[in-house]
Amino acid sequence: MTTDTIFQSIEKDFLLTKQQLAPIVEGFNQEYKTGLKTPSKGLATMIPSFVTKMPTGHETGTFLSLDLGGTNLRIAAVELKGAGKSTVLELKRKPTTELKTGEGALFFDWIADAIHHLITVQAKHLFSQDQVSGKETLALGVSVLFTNLLSLLSQTEVDRGTILRMGKGFTLSNTEGHDLADMFHEAFKRKNLNVKVTAILNDTVGTLVAHAYTNPECRIGLIFATGINAAYPEDISKITKLDPSIRAKYPAGTEMLINTEIDIFGTEAYLPLTGYDLTLDLSHSQPLFQLYEKMLSGAYMGELTRLIAMDFILAGELFEGHVPEGFNEAWSFPTIYMSTLESDDPIKSLEVMSNFNCVNTPTSNDIAILKRICRIVATRSAYLAAVSIISLLDQQNLKDNIVVGINGSTYEFYPGMDRRVRRALDEWYGKEFSSKITLEVASEGGSVGGALIAMLCK
């Protein structure tokens, strides 16, 4: 097979038309409806956040946020200045293996000590004297990536959440079955801290709220990074998974923010999976899980590119048919290499392949082929990410003044990704309607969003 023949086959599978996107949009529309009525037990979608207020942009004051979503603990003092402006001072700490696998109380004491340092030393100037001395209670918003550190958290109120199971290497004793807020408050009491957890939130919900502070017309918060997720406000009357007694607490027309967990949407029945997608999935530690996310997010784009490139090599159309040493190893070609190749810097492009032991120095044609593969994979990613936006517009029946706040490295830093998402929307709606959709880079939800929700829910 020639280079052109191989590319024609790949582009036929990867470059999705409006007609090919339509079944995915329809599938997502059905998953919203199913998720709103299916109880959030275990691994679930359409998770109610119990956040029913959105910022106006005029809020002021200093509040705390804490992000438990990744490798590091991140605690921030956030000064809301009004007019959508804020100052963030963040403290990062990395827990030791002993802390992650020891007694739960010790882990929460460690967090309390870090918060004390932030309030009394590092960010002291952002707080009032009464806040620093403990005379005034400080509100804290805790941002949790539900499929990460706390792989299962049962939430029935905005500031309550029962720990059902730990994840990501955390095996804290005497935590499962306990309320997360209670464990914080017990540690704060032991450390003589006047801090109250007023909200437990998902980072995607935080992204939506954080951007709504900047632009109150924002109706969708999208994270497009190593993974993908989205949040939006839903009429409580439609969230039938909530007990009627809970829904009855809210006035008619109240909206609650929903963490869609859109990363686990999608089935083999309607996703246009290619042979490369199936090969990637089989090499993953969780096959048949997050199939949609595996087709588009930053954690997987590089591996898809590598798999396609291998076919060109085996056909003798790339690197003279010689597999560079290490290139045949799964997950050896991260997405950052794609980003470098698409940045149009010839020297840096060659440096990408210096990470592998090539028999001969890659030619300009080799680099051009690799770059074209990257472009195909990244373009499909953008179009599939656009499906999240399109389906959420359908779900809310939005027609005018549509603002989407997008946070994440894949959207923000991958060359041309923002333009490709825009092009997908133009092709789906036509430019007249698509021009009503504003895509804006959003602040990270774990800091500003967490502090805002702590304030709104105190």
Side-chain angles (χ1 to χ4, degrees):
M1 295 177 69
T2 65
T3 298
D4 287 342
T5 303
I6 301 173
F7 269 125
Q8 286 171 10
S9 175
I10 293 166
E11 289 175 347
K12 181 174 180 292
D13 289 337
F14 274 77
L15 300 183
L16 303 174
T17 64
K18 180 176 180 178
Q19 290 69 33
Q20 290 169 306
L21 291 178
I24 315 174
V25 173
E26 177 57 30
F28 278 26
N29 289 342
Q30 291 303 313
E31 295 213 36
Y32 294 133
K33 293 175 174 60
T34 300
L36 287 172
K37 65 184 180 183
T38 305
S40 297
K41 294 180 179 179
L43 194 64
T45 63
M46 306 302 283
I47 301 171
S49 70
F50 299 91
V51 177
T52 57
K53 296 178 182 178
M54 289 280 274
T56 63
H58 302 302
E59 291 81 3
T60 58
T62 303
F63 304 89
L64 293 167
S65 65
L66 185 150
D67 190 341
L68 281 169
T71 304
N72 297 313
L73 168 73
R74 299 190 303 160
I75 306 166
V78 180
E79 182 185 14
L80 304 173
K81 298 181 175 182
K85 305 295 183 182
S86 62
T87 296
V88 179
L89 208 162
E90 189 176 84
L91 180 152
K92 290 184 181 180
R93 295 278 171 85
K94 186 173 182 178
T96 63
T97 301
E98 290 75 19
L99 276 171
K100 292 167 67 174
T101 57
E103 173 66 35
L106 294 177
F107 178 73
F108 286 92
D109 282 350
W110 174 74
I111 293 176
D113 286 336
I115 292 175
H116 181 266
H117 177 81
L118 182 70
I119 296 169
T120 60
V121 180
Q122 188 169 331
K124 183 178 180 179
H125 61 286
L126 296 182
F127 298 99
S128 69
Q129 187 174 346
D130 284 349
Q131 289 172 326
V132 174
S133 67
K135 290 181 181 179
E136 181 183 333
T137 302
L138 274 166
L140 169 67
V142 179
S143 177
V144 180
L145 184 59
F146 290 162
T147 55
N148 199 335
L149 186 147
L150 301 178
S151 58
L152 275 179
L153 182 77
S154 176
Q155 197 168 0
T156 54
E157 297 179 50
V158 71
D159 61 345
R160 312 296 293 177
T162 303
I163 302 169
L164 302 182
R165 189 172 70 228
M166 303 298 291
K168 280 290 182 183
F170 283 80
T171 56
L172 300 174
S173 59
N174 298 314
T175 56
E176 294 183 6
H178 292 258
D179 187 272
L180 180 61
D182 286 345
M183 299 208 72
F184 274 111
H185 293 150
E186 289 163 7
F188 297 156
K189 186 177 180 179
R190 288 191 294 269
K191 297 295 181 176
N192 198 30
L193 275 177
N194 190 4
V195 175
K196 181 182 180 182
V197 174
T198 59
I200 298 169
L201 61 138
N202 171 266
D203 60 338
T204 315
V205 170
T207 294
L208 172 56
V209 172
H211 198 62
Y213 184 61
T214 302
N215 188 339
E217 292 184 339
C218 183
R219 296 284 298 183
I220 296 172
L222 182 71
I223 292 180
F224 185 15
T226 53
I228 189 165
N229 198 9
Y232 77 104
E234 181 61 85
D235 191 305
I236 284 180
S237 66
K238 295 182 180 178
I239 313 174
T240 55
K241 65 165 65 181
L242 289 176
D243 189 275
S245 63
I246 295 177
R247 281 182 278 143
K249 294 179 181 179
Y250 301 96
T254 298
E255 292 183 321
M256 181 181 288
L257 304 190
I258 294 288
N259 163 27
T260 64
E261 287 297 337
I262 210 165
D263 55 306
I264 57 176
F265 277 30
T267 69
E268 295 166 283
Y270 64 79
L271 290 175
L273 296 162
T274 68
Y276 300 108
D277 296 308
L278 296 173
T279 299
L280 180 151
D281 185 57
L282 284 173
S283 70
H284 195 270
S285 59
Q286 292 180 292
L288 300 180
F289 178 61
Q290 295 178 311
L291 289 174
Y292 168 65
E293 182 171 277
K294 287 173 182 170
M295 295 175 75
L296 78 148
S297 75
Y300 304 103
M301 289 164 58
E303 176 63 2
L304 288 168
T305 296
R306 187 194 69 82
L307 290 169
I308 296 170
M310 282 297 297
D311 275 358
F312 278 88
I313 296 171
L314 296 177
E317 300 295 316
L318 184 61
F319 306 135
E320 299 180 353
H322 301 293
V323 179
E325 186 178 336
F327 195 84
N328 60 340
E329 296 176 9
W331 311 100
S332 61
F333 194 87
T335 300
I336 189 65
Y337 291 176
M338 295 175 63
S339 185
T340 300
L341 286 163
E342 284 225 59
S343 67
D344 283 330
D345 185 322
I347 295 175
K348 289 184 177 179
S349 294
L350 276 174
E351 287 176 357
V352 165
M353 292 313 300
S354 70
N355 291 286
F356 306 93
N357 188 9
C358 299
V359 173
N360 299 307
T361 301
T363 66
S364 59
N365 186 57
D366 289 331
I367 298 301
I369 290 173
L370 273 180
K371 181 179 174 181
R372 187 174 173 183
I373 296 170
C374 293
R375 190 161 60 240
I376 291 169
V377 171
T379 298
R380 187 184 71 162
S381 291
Y383 277 58
L384 289 172
V387 166
S388 291
I389 298 170
I390 294 164
S391 57
L392 281 169
L393 297 192
D394 286 352
Q395 180 65 18
Q396 298 179 77
N397 195 29
L398 297 179
K399 302 296 182 183
D400 292 293
N401 299 324
I402 303 159
V403 177
V404 183
I406 309 177
N407 172 264
S409 55
T410 303
Y411 180 78
E412 294 181 55
F413 305 122
Y414 190 94
M417 187 61 75
D418 54 346
R419 296 193 304 274
R420 288 163 174 156
V421 173
R422 169 58 64 187
R423 188 166 73 239
L425 296 174
D426 288 345
E427 291 180 12
W428 180 267
Y429 290 110
K431 289 195 175 182
E432 182 178 354
F433 183 86
S434 179
S435 65
K436 300 177 182 179
I437 304 171
T438 304
L439 306 179
E440 297 178 343
V441 173
S443 302
E444 187 177 351
S447 54
V448 177
L452 275 163
I453 293 174
M455 182 219 65
L456 292 168
C457 299
K458 69 175 182 176

